[in-house]
Amino acid sequence: MNNPGLHWLDGVVLSIYVGFGIGIGLYYGRRQKTTDDYYVGGRKMGSFVIGLSIYATLLSTISYLSVPGEMVSKGPVILYGVLAVPFVYIIVGYFLIPALMRRRLTSAYEVLEEHLGLGARLMAATMFLALRFVWMGLMVNVAARAIVIMFNMDLQTEDPQMRAAAERTVILVVVICSAIAVAYTVAGGLRA
């Protein structure tokens, strides 16, 4: 199969997407007046928007690249996860998020500290951050490898120089994608 790589229009679409993402971060960043605006969206975001944000966060490149293969190999087992989504949406969207929003918290970890002490809060936050760093690292690495393949570079080649060039490109893509994501998130806070 002949893989021509990315077309110049793909680059244009990607540039528009990146520009739009950074623009959203800058737009909401300028509207922030307090730390409440940054961390919890000024407490003006409804549970539907927050739930949608959580759901979108959990869908990633890993989902798009792995689920089709898992569906082929495991079949209906993957379907159970999809069928659970409406139930999770109802529980989280109508009960959990509104209950947390009524408490005027900045973080759910405050509930742990309130009931179990500072040590439990710090341990849970550390475990969450470790999990997120590993997950984000894997996600960005998988996406970068897919992009490098789209650049028509072979990561499986026998030629050590070509493989090294492809691996360097993976690292470059990881750095660029991470920098862009961090830039618009830091600029815009939760609303971005």
Side-chain angles (χ1 to χ4, degrees), residues 160-192:
Q161 288 181 329
M162 290 184 74
R163 187 178 322 153
E167 290 294 340
R168 283 193 302 273
T169 306
V170 167
I171 293 169
L172 179 64
V173 171
V174 165
V175 169
I176 290 170
C177 290
S178 299
I180 291 168
V182 167
Y184 78 75
T185 302
V186 167
L190 182 66
R191 285 189 186 264

Side-chain angles (χ1 to χ4, degrees), residues 81-98:
V82 174
L83 292 175
V85 169
F87 299 107
V88 171
Y89 173 78
I90 289 168
I91 292 167
V92 172
Y94 289 99
F95 298 107
L96 186 60
I97 292 174

